[in-house]
Amino acid sequence: MRGVVAAAIAVTGCSGGCGGTTTNAQTPGKPAADELRVLSYNVNFGLAGDMQEVTAVGPVMADVVFLQETNAEWEAAFVDTFSRRYPHHRFDAPESEPAGGMGVLSRFPIESIEKLPSHGGFFFAWRVVLKTNLGRVQVLNVHLRPPISDGGSWVAGYFSTRENRREEIAYHIEALDRALPTLVVGDFNEEGDGLAVQRLGEIGFDDAIAHFAPKQRTWEWKLPSGMTLHFQLDHIMYDARFEPLQAHVVEAGRSDHKPVWTDFALVR
C-alpha cells in the first residue's frame, strides 16, 4: 500500500491525531474455549523477516493468523518463531507482484486452501477451510487491488479503481460455500465506504473493526513534510452466523499496516 501515498496527497491529508486514538491491545489474554480469535496483518514485503513484525503477532494469542505480503523470508521467520503455538501453517509465494504472497498460522487443522485468481486485481486470494473449536469455518483472505490505474497513476487510480475492488470481491465470494460460517479478512485497500466493503454488506456481512474501532487507522504513512496519512484499510468481516465480541487495532510492528484482531462466538 506504500504507493497510495501519492494519490492520498492529492485528495486528503492529516497531521497529528487525524486517525483517532489507536487501541493498544498487545496483551489481551487468551480467548475463551468457546471463542475464536482471528488476526489479520499485512506485514509489508519490503521488511521481509523483520522480527518486530513477527513479535507484533505473538502477544495477541490469536487462534488463527492470516498474513498478506508474505514471501519465503516471512515464512521462515513466522514458522521458526511459532511452530509450537501454530502447528498448522501454509504459505503461498507471490506470483507476478512481490507483494502478492499469503500465509496462515493456525492452532487448528487446515482442511483446505483454494487459491483464487485476482480477477482484475494484482494479487490472488485464498479460501481457507479450518476445523476449529467452533466447527468448520471458512475464511476468505484477500489483498485487493491498490488504487493504481492501468496506466500506473496513483492519483487517477485513487478515483478509478473502486469498481475494480467491487468486481474482485464479487468474483471471490462466488467460490464460497454458503453452508459454512464465513469470515472475509485482509487488506482491502479501501475504507468502509469502499465498494468491495459495501458489496459484502449487501449480502449480509458486517465489519468488526469498523464497529468496535470506527475512528482508528490500520494504515499510516509519514511524509517528508511531517504530515501523516491515516486510513482504515484492513477489515475483518463476518456473516450473520458469527457474533463479534471485541475487536482491536494493535499498535505494534514497523509495517505501514497494523495487526487487527477480533474474538468471535457462534450465534446460537
Side-chain angles (χ1 to χ4, degrees):
M1 187 54 192
R2 289 177 290 175
V4 76
V5 173
I9 294 172
V11 296
T12 186
C14 308
S15 60
C18 169
T21 302
T22 298
T23 300
N24 193 328
Q26 279 87 338
T27 55
K30 292 182 179 180
D34 59 349
E35 299 171 6
L36 180 69
R37 180 168 295 164
V38 177
L39 182 146
S40 177
Y41 190 18
N42 182 327
V43 291
N44 190 331
F45 75 94
L47 298 171
D50 185 271
M51 289 305 296
Q52 287 192 44
E53 318 317 305
V54 177
T55 57
V57 167
V60 176
M61 302 294 289
D63 293 310
V64 191
V65 175
F66 290 93
L67 304 170
Q68 303 90 42
E69 294 202 22
T70 59
N71 50 33
E73 291 81 7
W74 277 126
E75 178 178 4
F78 276 101
V79 171
D80 289 350
T81 302
F82 294 118
S83 59
R84 296 183 66 181
R85 181 186 298 179
Y86 300 117
H88 310 282
H89 45 79
R90 288 272 299 276
F91 285 77
D92 248 342
E95 295 177 340
S96 58
E97 300 288 342
M102 283 193 169
V104 58
L105 307 164
S106 178
R107 290 181 53 230
F108 305 112
I110 300 169
E111 179 179 304
S112 64
I113 294 182
E114 178 184 1
K115 182 188 287 188
L116 306 173
S118 66
H119 193 73
F122 294 170
F123 316 117
F124 60 81
W126 268 0
R127 187 182 77 91
V128 182
V129 179
L130 301 161
K131 297 179 179 179
T132 77
N133 57 325
L134 303 184
R136 295 175 71 235
V137 168
Q138 174 180 235
V139 183
L140 182 63
N141 187 17
V142 301
H143 187 186
L144 301 183
R145 176 175 177 156
I148 182 172
S149 71
D150 292 337
S153 169
W154 292 95
V155 175
Y158 186 89
F159 299 99
S160 66
T161 59
R162 287 166 56 86
E163 188 61 40
N164 294 105
R165 286 183 290 278
R166 179 182 175 89
E167 291 176 0
E168 267 192 278
I169 206 70
Y171 173 81
H172 293 328
I173 60 180
E174 289 301 314
L176 296 176
D177 182 348
R178 302 305 172 89
L180 292 177
T182 302
L183 303 174
V184 183
V185 309
D187 177 4
F188 282 59
N189 270 317
E190 65 179 28
E191 295 199 284
D193 61 352
L195 298 186
V197 173
Q198 290 183 20
R199 177 68 186 109
L200 288 170
E202 291 167 1
I203 60 171
F205 283 81
D206 205 349
D207 185 358
I209 303 302
H211 177 73
F212 285 93
K215 296 183 179 180
Q216 296 172 8
R217 86 286 186 271
T218 69
W219 175 87
E220 67 179 16
W221 192 266
K222 293 184 179 180
L223 303 175
S225 65
M227 180 186 297
T228 301
L229 305 177
H230 303 264
F231 295 99
Q232 189 172 100
L233 304 181
D234 303 85
H235 306 279
I236 297 180
M237 303 196 68
Y238 58 95
D239 71 12
R241 288 164 286 193
F242 283 107
E243 178 187 0
L245 305 175
Q246 61 174 325
H248 297 276
V249 179
V250 181
E251 184 62 34
R254 295 200 303 126
S255 175
D256 46 335
H257 292 262
K258 300 298 179 183
V260 296
W261 63 270
T262 305
D263 281 348
F264 288 104
L266 286 180
V267 174
R268 302 296 182 183

